Amino acid sequence: MVTPFEAMNAVGLVAFAIVGSLKAADAEFDVLGVAVLGVLTALGGGATRDVLVGRVPAMLQSTWDVGFALLGVAVAVLLARRVGARLLDHPVVMLPDAIGLAAFATTGALVGHDAGVTPFGVVVLGTVTGVGGGLVSDVLLQRVPFVLAEDFYATCAVAGSATFWLAVEAGASTAVGAGVCAALTLSLRVVALRRNWRLPTVRLRAES
Amino acid sequence: MVTPFEAMNAVGLVAFAIVGSLKAADAEFDVLGVAVLGVLTALGGGATRDVLVGRVPAMLQSTWDVGFALLGVAVAVLLARRVGARLLDHPVVMLPDAIGLAAFATTGALVGHDAGVTPFGVVVLGTVTGVGGGLVSDVLLQRVPFVLAEDFYATCAVAGSATFWLAVEAGASTAVGAGVCAALTLSLRVVALRRNWRLPTVRLRAES
Amino acid sequence: MVTPFEAMNAVGLVAFAIVGSLKAADAEFDVLGVAVLGVLTALGGGATRDVLVGRVPAMLQSTWDVGFALLGVAVAVLLARRVGARLLDHPVVMLPDAIGLAAFATTGALVGHDAGVTPFGVVVLGTVTGVGGGLVSDVLLQRVPFVLAEDFYATCAVAGSATFWLAVEAGASTAVGAGVCAALTLSLRVVALRRNWRLPTVRLRAES
């Protein structure tokens, strides 16, 4: 039986791979570069999480995750010729991407909990798992990482994984904590997209 | 009792976080981006060091370091509105930053010594710990890392951690080696700042 | 006795260090920056490989690899004044660079095999070991990584390490698999250079 969480994870892997591949195609990378960027966007956050807690990354040990990422790459290559990069702003990609963010933030928080890190560590691992893949691929594409520059994106993962920690600390099981984390991250992201939420920037005093 | 070394480390964490946060504010990142860059600049070097020797990063396991980094972010956000990015070139930031470089290079050399790496490994770990946070945040900000491009900065950490190894090899205790490393790194950096020292660049033969 | 493989590895370390150092000199980095970029280009792929499978990087534990990398830096600094950056496109650098790619892809595949990762993991580790150093140094130099953007470069490592896995799976010893991997990676790269092979790019539908 597939759990709701596994389904979310699979949706997220496909969506992240599509986003990474389309960005690479938009930057005129060759087919291999498109595949590398797509796979890295899907699996990079989880790999970073695993390295941080001293595990061999799941992507080197399991086959399913890699399969979903490659599926996303294939979809992107097919769609690229028909639809183009504007797909990146389309709900057909953005909703699955939000689902992926929620699923990945949750796995990060769970791994952090199992590794016995501090509350800050739980939030770091949740956030890194959620946004790490997109961040690395933006760096490789020579773009300022969009998760840092303006979107209400990483914030959702921060809020979700912090809530995971609060819930577990308050006595909830990790399963309940994971559900709360995924639901909160996803809702925040969807609402932020619909309402076009922004975090304030920090204004520097103008040089005179 | 707080040892001189712990005090240096705390000063460095706050200073590095201020530097990273101000750079991010200067690049018009939102509040979360500013916090992420500040924390990463303060804790990124140590995390890289820990991953390289196969440890779970200290920042995921201890609370104090994170607290000092967040304090630096808070100070930067408050100062940003009043003072602006020119603070980055002011002694009020540059001296604590030099103290941090010295403290971090020393922890890197010590961790390398404990892990039984080669002399080259001790220098790599000392330098990575000192400059890794700034390097990662410059990459995320799409800037050529200043530690590599022109300043007499990483050089101080290289010299300090090499001297640590020489001192310990010559029979000194690691405590004495650490003291020598911190003192040398700090003095070199302060003198380099005051005298505006530069390393020579490698001139390429002009294409004809 | 030096095995053919050890000789290839040494040639590759020197060549990769020359390439990284010349790129850094071309970007007007100072002497330390040039040395850091050279060493990182030579040793960065192997270090990433080791971190991924949970080992302390070889470069922190062995002295020979570091020596070859520093030799490459020294050669580059001497040549830079006489020859300039056009050396980067000269067979005197490109052939040893191809030898290095082949040697590194092979060590990556071997390490992956020993660590018991999936076939995908073997290919990832072979490719990361071969192209990781160049990729990191391009990111630090603020260049779109050339291994991703257009060259028939990473593709050779992908093909070589996939063939390693197929050979071993078909019953060959790891020594034979390593020989096949190295030979295939090297031949592909040399032929790609001579014939100016390119992978197709993924065309996006033009926005209207």
Side-chain angles (χ1 to χ4, degrees), chain A residues 146-194:
Chain A
F146 84 107
V147 299
L148 294 179
E150 58 171 57
D151 252 301
F152 201 89
Y153 191 89
T155 317
C156 311
V158 169
S161 39
T163 308
F164 170 90
W165 177 78
L166 285 171
V168 172
E169 197 67 6
S173 67
T174 54
V176 168
V180 171
C181 173
L184 183 67
T185 307
L186 180 56
S187 331
L188 274 177
R189 178 67 186 141
V190 169
V191 174
L193 277 173
R194 296 200 60 145

Side-chain angles (χ1 to χ4, degrees), chain B residues 48-61:
Chain B
T48 309
R49 173 201 66 207
D50 289 338
V51 166
L52 284 174
V53 297
R55 293 186 184 180
V56 176
M59 72 168 182
L60 302 179
Q61 296 188 303

Side-chain angles (χ1 to χ4, degrees), chain B residues 31-123:
Chain B
V31 166
L32 181 77
V34 166
V36 168
L37 261 288
V39 169
L40 199 60
T41 306
L43 304 176
T48 309
R49 173 201 66 207
D50 289 338
V51 166
L52 284 174
V53 297
R55 293 186 184 180
V56 176
M59 72 168 182
L60 302 179
Q61 296 188 303
S62 103
T63 301
W64 279 100
D65 284 10
V66 176
F68 285 120
L70 292 175
L71 175 63
V73 171
V75 169
V77 170
L78 291 177
L79 288 180
R81 288 159 205 245
R82 302 221 186 149
V83 192
R86 75 201 143 97
L87 201 65
L88 284 170
D89 300 321
H90 195 280
V92 145
V93 166
M94 296 195 87
L95 182 61
D97 183 79
I99 292 173
L101 178 66
F104 295 172
T106 307
T107 63
L110 282 167
V111 167
H113 178 78
D114 289 352
V117 300
T118 58
F120 177 81
V122 168
V123 173

